[in-house]
Amino acid sequence: MLFAQRRGTAWRALSLVAAIVAGLFLSPISQDQAEAAPGPSFTNPVVGAPNSADPTLVQYNGNYYYVATTWSSDVVMRRSATIAGLRSAPEQLVLRTGGDTMWAPHLEMVGNRWYLYYSVEMSGAPRRTHVAESAGSDPMGPYTYRGVVNLMPNNGWAIDASLLKLNGALYMTFSAFSPVDNLQSLYIAPMASPVQASAFGTRISAPTLAWERQDGAVNEGTFALQRNGRTFLTYSGSHCNGPNYKVGMLEYRGGDPLAQGSWSKFANPIFQRNDAAGVYGPGHHSFFTSPDGTETWIAYHANSSASQGCGTSRTTRVQKISWNADGTPNLGVPVSTSTVIAGPSGETGSTPRVKIRNQHSDLCLDDYNFGAAPGAEVRQWTCNNLPVQDWYLTAVGDGYYRIANGHSGLCLDNKDFGTAPGSVVQQWTCNDLAVQQWRLTTTNGRTTLVNRHSGLCLDNYNFGTAPGSEVRQWTCNGLAVQQWNVA
Ligand code: AHR
């Protein structure tokens, strides 16, 4: 009998939440009904380095789809039913661009197709914006490359493209250097289709305010936010190589969207560094809605030190936004990485969070020494309420599960594809290979965990009883050292 047999406290609680959420989804949610339950709580970052800057996070049909800068030739995508599950969701290759250092992919649906916009350099030519189109309505693809979006004269440099749907027309907003003053500014171009601009871009914002010129004068990373008939164009100002990178906002005031006079700039930034929380250079964001559509959230990157810059230290964080009485968005302040956040409302995916306690030692499976890098150790330790002992179970098919750590976001892994008794267990970047797939079988509340590659059981090695006792794989023998309480 598989893992589903267990009905521990966590499962009962989870089943109750799932029943509540399912019940809400069975009937239309009216304004006066209770909102759906929040999803599993999490702490930021929701996606760790290195492919974690300039995030686009989309919620579609109850799943989240995540893309970010990879610095390689590839666009990779993560999918998760919960925000909490993003960190351990495997990166799946969706496009080989053929270029270098892929930056800032933007994922958006037009009609019933998904479009991926990104910038790369092709054999040393200026960095330009390219586009790929999905074959159907699945954001995971497959994708077909559809070419360069010709946004600036003379095949000019253009990055950070995103779409704006306004007055029944389609536009692309992006960042480029002005031929007039060479300021990296915000531009907008009319689109004949999702893959073709019908004219070069015109400038609608230059980094002229003091807060846009710290560490370098920059306007980039646009993302449109529309509500109650108003159109806000949010963007990042100042240079990403410092802690003063931040989010600003334009509002469309009517008239020709291609004219700078149709846009007004808010005098002050709407989201910026929070030194007290240890968050620096927050920006290059996107917005997404909760699965039940009642909440708006922001995904952004930030550094944890004022000395970090535009490299791979920038990790992805998410938090809920609100709205001011005057109808403008209130992004609040970036929260610390120790802040526990309830997941977006209406998440129906269940990524059960459990402790895994050994029957012989009565110790818990533990991300030893708060490891965060691939290869981090797994040991047993006195049970506590820390994320290092939280394990997220995601079914990967055939009765097997991915088991990801709540602190490291890494997966329980049969090191070096071991097959012999005594093979080591570690944490490694989640890849859903057989070495990271575990069959959980529960009998009378006792669960064994069998590795799909080795066929061996997760084992309290040498009958340890002290905190720090090792965990290995061993020939399954039914002893208490291989029986775990998973709840
Ligand atoms: O992170 C790579 C690039 O750096 C992004 O495209 C841009 O927003 C930032 O300047």
Side-chain angles (χ1 to χ4, degrees):
M1 190 59 164
L2 287 189
F3 184 59
Q5 182 186 30
R6 170 123 190 92
R7 288 291 175 266
T9 309
W11 276 104
R12 280 196 291 273
L14 191 71
S15 308
L16 177 60
V17 168
I20 290 170
V21 169
L24 283 167
F25 269 73
L26 289 177
S27 58
I29 299 172
S30 69
Q31 287 307 319
D32 58 356
Q33 279 183 339
E35 287 183 357
S41 58
F42 62 90
T43 55
N44 283 310
V46 293
V47 176
N51 300 332
S52 47
D54 317 314
T56 297
L57 188 52
V58 172
Q59 187 271 125
Y60 176 69
N61 287 350
N63 276 312
Y64 299 102
Y65 298 86
Y66 171 91
V67 288
T69 288
T70 62
W71 301 98
S72 70
S73 171
D74 298 343
V75 179
V76 296
M77 193 176 290
R78 295 175 188 231
R79 174 176 55 200
S80 173
T82 62
I83 290 293
L86 262 181
R87 189 166 20 197
S88 60
E91 293 181 337
Q92 302 191 46
L93 175 66
V94 292
L95 187 71
R96 283 208 186 289
T97 68
D100 301 324
T101 58
M102 193 282 297
W103 286 359
H106 177 84
L107 174 66
E108 186 153 351
M109 190 172 218
V110 181
N112 64 349
R113 292 290 182 273
W114 291 91
Y115 294 87
L116 265 176
Y117 302 96
Y118 56 89
S119 77
V120 288
E121 293 181 352
M122 301 296 278
S123 58
R127 177 173 292 275
R128 301 183 71 192
T129 292
H130 300 246
V131 59
E133 180 181 39
S134 67
S137 58
D138 183 350
M140 297 301 291
Y143 284 87
T144 302
Y145 178 65
R146 295 294 305 274
V148 171
V149 187
N150 198 16
L151 295 167
M152 292 296 279
N154 310 313
N155 301 326
W157 192 92
I159 67 167
D160 293 3
S162 66
L163 289 179
L164 167 65
K165 300 159 184 167
L166 182 59
N167 303 335
L170 191 62
Y171 299 90
M172 178 160 282
T173 58
F174 61 98
S175 181
F177 289 94
S178 162
V180 173
D181 52 27
N182 201 39
L183 286 175
Q184 188 184 340
S185 304
L186 300 186
Y187 281 75
I188 185 170
M191 300 296 282
S193 76
V195 301
Q196 186 184 9
S198 51
F200 293 134
T202 52
R203 180 159 69 171
I204 53 173
S205 170
T208 54
L209 302 176
W211 60 261
E212 297 177 296
R213 301 172 67 88
Q214 294 174 287
D215 313 314
V218 174
N219 277 185
E220 64 186 15
T222 51
F223 199 96
L225 189 58
Q226 295 172 305
R227 183 176 188 257
N228 297 339
R230 297 177 69 173
T231 293
F232 305 100
L233 189 63
T234 58
Y235 67 94
S236 290
S238 287
H239 201 288
C240 65
N241 66 9
N244 298 300
Y245 197 64
K246 60 182 79 68
V247 180
M249 186 164 72
L250 309 179
E251 182 170 7
Y252 172 65
R253 297 298 187 179
D256 178 1
L258 304 178
Q260 184 159 1
S262 300
W263 299 88
S264 64
K265 181 180 289 186
F266 284 72
N268 298 306
I270 60 172
F271 196 66
Q272 59 189 317
R273 64 190 285 181
N274 179 0
D275 294 28
V279 183
Y280 304 92
H284 204 130
H285 60 290
S286 53
F287 295 102
F288 62 96
T289 56
S290 57
D292 69 357
T294 63
E295 300 170 340
T296 302
W297 288 64
I298 183 173
Y300 60 96
H301 74 224
N303 280 315
S304 293
S305 160
S307 62
Q308 293 169 323
C310 298
T312 54
S313 59
R314 296 170 293 174
T315 56
T316 295
R317 295 98 187 285
V318 305
Q319 56 191 72
K320 190 162 50 176
I321 75 166
S322 60
W323 296 89
N324 296 314
D326 67 0
T328 57
N330 184 330
L331 276 52
V333 296
V335 298
S336 77
T337 54
S338 59
T339 303
V340 177
I341 302 172
S345 177
E347 285 188 352
T348 54
S350 62
T351 308
R353 181 180 63 194
V354 296
K355 302 290 187 186
I356 303 177
R357 182 165 50 83
N358 188 260
Q359 295 300 313
H360 176 76
S361 66
D362 203 31
L363 299 171
C364 281
L365 203 65
D366 182 286
D367 168 14
Y368 193 56
N369 285 339
F370 296 83
E377 279 196 79
V378 178
R379 296 230 184 154
Q380 300 169 73
W381 198 263
T382 308
C383 296
N384 58 43
N385 290 325
L386 297 175
V388 288
Q389 294 186 1
D390 287 343
W391 297 92
Y392 289 88
L393 308 183
T394 304
V396 293
D398 302 329
Y400 286 90
Y401 286 81
R402 177 196 315 144
I403 303 178
N405 185 263
H407 173 73
S408 68
L410 301 169
C411 277
L412 201 62
D413 180 286
N414 168 9
K415 183 173 183 178
D416 298 336
F417 297 83
T419 53
S423 295
V424 175
V425 176
Q426 66 173 358
Q427 298 173 76
W428 195 261
T429 307
C430 298
N431 54 33
D432 278 355
L433 296 177
V435 289
Q436 293 188 358
Q437 297 187 26
W438 300 85
R439 178 182 288 278
L440 278 68
T441 305
T442 303
T443 307
N444 301 325
R446 301 278 189 270
T447 300
T448 56
L449 296 92
V450 180
N451 185 263
R452 187 166 200 169
H453 178 76
S454 68
L456 301 171
C457 275
L458 192 69
D459 182 286
N460 169 6
Y461 194 53
N462 286 336
F463 296 83
T465 55
S469 295
E470 280 197 72
V471 175
R472 300 266 187 109
Q473 300 166 74
W474 199 263
T475 309
C476 298
N477 55 30
L479 297 178
V481 289
Q482 295 183 356
Q483 294 176 355
W484 303 81
N485 176 276
V486 179

